[in-house]
Amino acid sequence: GAGVSQSPSNKVTEKGKDVELRCDPISGHTALYWYRQSLGQGLEFLIYFQGNSAPDKSGLPSDRFSAERTGGSVSTLTIQRTQQEDSAVYLCASSFLAMSSYNEQFFGPGTRLTVL
Amino acid sequence: KQEVTQIPAALSVPEGENLVLNCSFTDSAIYNLQWFRQDPGKGLTSLLLIQSSQREQTSGRLNASLDKSSGRSTLYIAASQPGDSATYLCAVRSNDYKLSFGAGTTVTVRA
């Protein structure tokens, strides 16, 4: 596609429910990244995919967070048993190559998650 | 751990004035540095990417410099316009793949 797309754009859920956030990267981009932007925390890295594998999951806040990528394209970030502190904007980015000095990351519009 | 700081946190200027936004980082072993723009409620738009071997990068009215040894980058925006009002984020890619972000500088250009 023309850019990185994310869905839904907004999600309101009740504490304790599970949510799934979707990211569709730019066609041909092999690397995909998830970040979280929350008030007072700024932008923080969550997880990175190269193809379908995730070499670095170190940024995931807890074991309630998981992500997968299929077909080297679409990725889903799942948050189980949501808590109020999970409220944030979840941003997805993609790049052509990860391990390259010229590695420009392009970001989607984000999903704003609100946990009541 | 890479720490990225942006000063000032907010800036308000009259239209036509040049903007100078500063970014500093603690670990000089970087692959590249990216400047982004974020409008309220929107995602990030990439403005410029400077590779570690470069000293500066230009795009239209935007010019970004990089002094890797001192851990600094500066974004210059010439002849500012009200449409330049946004939050500008600096992000550093260290010797891996993830970006470390500063907190941003929120710019208001007054007509």
PDB file of all heavy atoms in Angstrom, chain A residues 1-5 24-29 94 106-109:
ATOM      1  N   GLY A   1       0.820  -1.191   0.000  1.00  0.00           N
ATOM      2  CA  GLY A   1       0.000   0.000   0.000  1.00  0.00           C
ATOM      3  C   GLY A   1       0.858   1.246   0.000  1.00  0.00           C
ATOM      4  O   GLY A   1       2.083   1.196   0.076  1.00  0.00           O
ATOM      5  N   ALA A   2       0.216   2.399   0.001  1.00  0.00           N
ATOM      6  CA  ALA A   2       0.921   3.659  -0.076  1.00  0.00           C
ATOM      7  C   ALA A   2       1.643   3.975   1.217  1.00  0.00           C
ATOM      8  O   ALA A   2       2.675   4.660   1.203  1.00  0.00           O
ATOM      9  CB  ALA A   2      -0.060   4.767  -0.419  1.00  0.00           C
ATOM     10  N   GLY A   3       1.134   3.529   2.329  1.00  0.00           N
ATOM     11  CA  GLY A   3       1.740   3.827   3.608  1.00  0.00           C
ATOM     12  C   GLY A   3       1.408   2.730   4.594  1.00  0.00           C
ATOM     13  O   GLY A   3       0.714   1.771   4.274  1.00  0.00           O
ATOM     14  N   VAL A   4       1.895   2.888   5.830  1.00  0.00           N
ATOM     15  CA  VAL A   4       1.567   1.944   6.890  1.00  0.00           C
ATOM     16  C   VAL A   4       0.148   2.221   7.373  1.00  0.00           C
ATOM     17  O   VAL A   4      -0.193   3.379   7.645  1.00  0.00           O
ATOM     18  CB  VAL A   4       2.558   2.084   8.067  1.00  0.00           C
ATOM     19  CG1 VAL A   4       2.189   1.120   9.189  1.00  0.00           C
ATOM     20  CG2 VAL A   4       3.995   1.862   7.600  1.00  0.00           C
ATOM     21  N   SER A   5      -0.659   1.192   7.450  1.00  0.00           N
ATOM     22  CA  SER A   5      -2.020   1.386   7.954  1.00  0.00           C
ATOM     23  C   SER A   5      -2.216   0.595   9.239  1.00  0.00           C
ATOM     24  O   SER A   5      -1.603  -0.465   9.429  1.00  0.00           O
ATOM     25  CB  SER A   5      -3.061   0.989   6.906  1.00  0.00           C
ATOM     26  OG  SER A   5      -2.919  -0.369   6.544  1.00  0.00           O
ATOM     27  N   ASP A  24      -0.619  -3.032   9.023  1.00  0.00           N
ATOM     28  CA  ASP A  24      -0.350  -3.465   7.661  1.00  0.00           C
ATOM     29  C   ASP A  24       0.801  -2.605   7.138  1.00  0.00           C
ATOM     30  O   ASP A  24       0.619  -1.400   6.901  1.00  0.00           O
ATOM     31  CB  ASP A  24      -1.607  -3.286   6.802  1.00  0.00           C
ATOM     32  CG  ASP A  24      -1.581  -4.141   5.572  1.00  0.00           C
ATOM     33  OD1 ASP A  24      -0.470  -4.562   5.163  1.00  0.00           O
ATOM     34  OD2 ASP A  24      -2.657  -4.373   4.993  1.00  0.00           O
ATOM     35  N   PRO A  25       2.005  -3.182   6.985  1.00  0.00           N
ATOM     36  CA  PRO A  25       3.160  -2.368   6.630  1.00  0.00           C
ATOM     37  C   PRO A  25       3.171  -1.983   5.157  1.00  0.00           C
ATOM     38  O   PRO A  25       2.354  -2.454   4.367  1.00  0.00           O
ATOM     39  CB  PRO A  25       4.334  -3.294   6.954  1.00  0.00           C
ATOM     40  CG  PRO A  25       3.776  -4.662   6.685  1.00  0.00           C
ATOM     41  CD  PRO A  25       2.343  -4.598   7.126  1.00  0.00           C
ATOM     42  N   ILE A  26       4.128  -1.158   4.801  1.00  0.00           N
ATOM     43  CA  ILE A  26       4.333  -0.801   3.400  1.00  0.00           C
ATOM     44  C   ILE A  26       4.772  -2.057   2.641  1.00  0.00           C
ATOM     45  O   ILE A  26       5.620  -2.827   3.132  1.00  0.00           O
ATOM     46  CB  ILE A  26       5.383   0.321   3.278  1.00  0.00           C
ATOM     47  CG1 ILE A  26       4.818   1.622   3.881  1.00  0.00           C
ATOM     48  CG2 ILE A  26       5.799   0.541   1.827  1.00  0.00           C
ATOM     49  CD1 ILE A  26       5.831   2.742   3.986  1.00  0.00           C
ATOM     50  N   SER A  27       4.203  -2.251   1.476  1.00  0.00           N
ATOM     51  CA  SER A  27       4.502  -3.431   0.679  1.00  0.00           C
ATOM     52  C   SER A  27       6.002  -3.511   0.390  1.00  0.00           C
ATOM     53  O   SER A  27       6.621  -2.538  -0.029  1.00  0.00           O
ATOM     54  CB  SER A  27       3.715  -3.351  -0.636  1.00  0.00           C
ATOM     55  OG  SER A  27       4.029  -4.454  -1.462  1.00  0.00           O
ATOM     56  N   GLY A  28       6.568  -4.699   0.642  1.00  0.00           N
ATOM     57  CA  GLY A  28       7.987  -4.892   0.378  1.00  0.00           C
ATOM     58  C   GLY A  28       8.890  -4.632   1.559  1.00  0.00           C
ATOM     59  O   GLY A  28      10.081  -4.961   1.514  1.00  0.00           O
ATOM     60  N   HIS A  29       8.337  -4.033   2.614  1.00  0.00           N
ATOM     61  CA  HIS A  29       9.147  -3.789   3.811  1.00  0.00           C
ATOM     62  C   HIS A  29       9.242  -5.083   4.634  1.00  0.00           C
ATOM     63  O   HIS A  29       8.238  -5.674   5.001  1.00  0.00           O
ATOM     64  CB  HIS A  29       8.525  -2.673   4.650  1.00  0.00           C
ATOM     65  CG  HIS A  29       8.840  -1.308   4.150  1.00  0.00           C
ATOM     66  ND1 HIS A  29       8.550  -0.154   4.867  1.00  0.00           N
ATOM     67  CD2 HIS A  29       9.433  -0.895   3.013  1.00  0.00           C
ATOM     68  CE1 HIS A  29       8.958   0.896   4.176  1.00  0.00           C
ATOM     69  NE2 HIS A  29       9.492   0.475   3.046  1.00  0.00           N
ATOM     70  N   SER A  94       7.369   0.482   9.688  1.00  0.00           N
ATOM     71  CA  SER A  94       8.029  -0.526   8.874  1.00  0.00           C
ATOM     72  C   SER A  94       9.206   0.105   8.158  1.00  0.00           C
ATOM     73  O   SER A  94       9.297   1.324   8.008  1.00  0.00           O
ATOM     74  CB  SER A  94       7.051  -1.166   7.879  1.00  0.00           C
ATOM     75  OG  SER A  94       6.686  -0.260   6.850  1.00  0.00           O
ATOM     76  N   PHE A 106       9.036   4.168   8.680  1.00  0.00           N
ATOM     77  CA  PHE A 106       7.834   4.899   8.319  1.00  0.00           C
ATOM     78  C   PHE A 106       6.707   4.446   9.234  1.00  0.00           C
ATOM     79  O   PHE A 106       6.468   3.241   9.379  1.00  0.00           O
ATOM     80  CB  PHE A 106       7.463   4.648   6.851  1.00  0.00           C
ATOM     81  CG  PHE A 106       8.496   5.167   5.886  1.00  0.00           C
ATOM     82  CD1 PHE A 106       9.547   4.363   5.479  1.00  0.00           C
ATOM     83  CD2 PHE A 106       8.408   6.459   5.396  1.00  0.00           C
ATOM     84  CE1 PHE A 106      10.510   4.845   4.599  1.00  0.00           C
ATOM     85  CE2 PHE A 106       9.363   6.951   4.514  1.00  0.00           C
ATOM     86  CZ  PHE A 106      10.416   6.136   4.117  1.00  0.00           C
ATOM     87  N   PHE A 107       6.025   5.414   9.808  1.00  0.00           N
ATOM     88  CA  PHE A 107       5.038   5.132  10.841  1.00  0.00           C
ATOM     89  C   PHE A 107       3.607   5.210  10.315  1.00  0.00           C
ATOM     90  O   PHE A 107       3.301   5.986   9.411  1.00  0.00           O
ATOM     91  CB  PHE A 107       5.185   6.124  11.997  1.00  0.00           C
ATOM     92  CG  PHE A 107       6.316   5.793  12.929  1.00  0.00           C
ATOM     93  CD1 PHE A 107       7.627   6.019  12.555  1.00  0.00           C
ATOM     94  CD2 PHE A 107       6.068   5.233  14.170  1.00  0.00           C
ATOM     95  CE1 PHE A 107       8.680   5.696  13.401  1.00  0.00           C
ATOM     96  CE2 PHE A 107       7.108   4.913  15.034  1.00  0.00           C
ATOM     97  CZ  PHE A 107       8.413   5.143  14.642  1.00  0.00           C
ATOM     98  N   GLY A 108       2.757   4.394  10.936  1.00  0.00           N
ATOM     99  CA  GLY A 108       1.326   4.470  10.677  1.00  0.00           C
ATOM    100  C   GLY A 108       0.682   5.527  11.558  1.00  0.00           C
ATOM    101  O   GLY A 108       1.352   6.159  12.386  1.00  0.00           O
ATOM    102  N   PRO A 109      -0.642   5.707  11.421  1.00  0.00           N
ATOM    103  CA  PRO A 109      -1.355   6.745  12.169  1.00  0.00           C
ATOM    104  C   PRO A 109      -1.602   6.392  13.629  1.00  0.00           C
ATOM    105  O   PRO A 109      -1.958   7.263  14.420  1.00  0.00           O
ATOM    106  CB  PRO A 109      -2.677   6.879  11.413  1.00  0.00           C
ATOM    107  CG  PRO A 109      -2.864   5.542  10.792  1.00  0.00           C
ATOM    108  CD  PRO A 109      -1.504   5.036  10.447  1.00  0.00           C
TER     109      PRO A 109
END
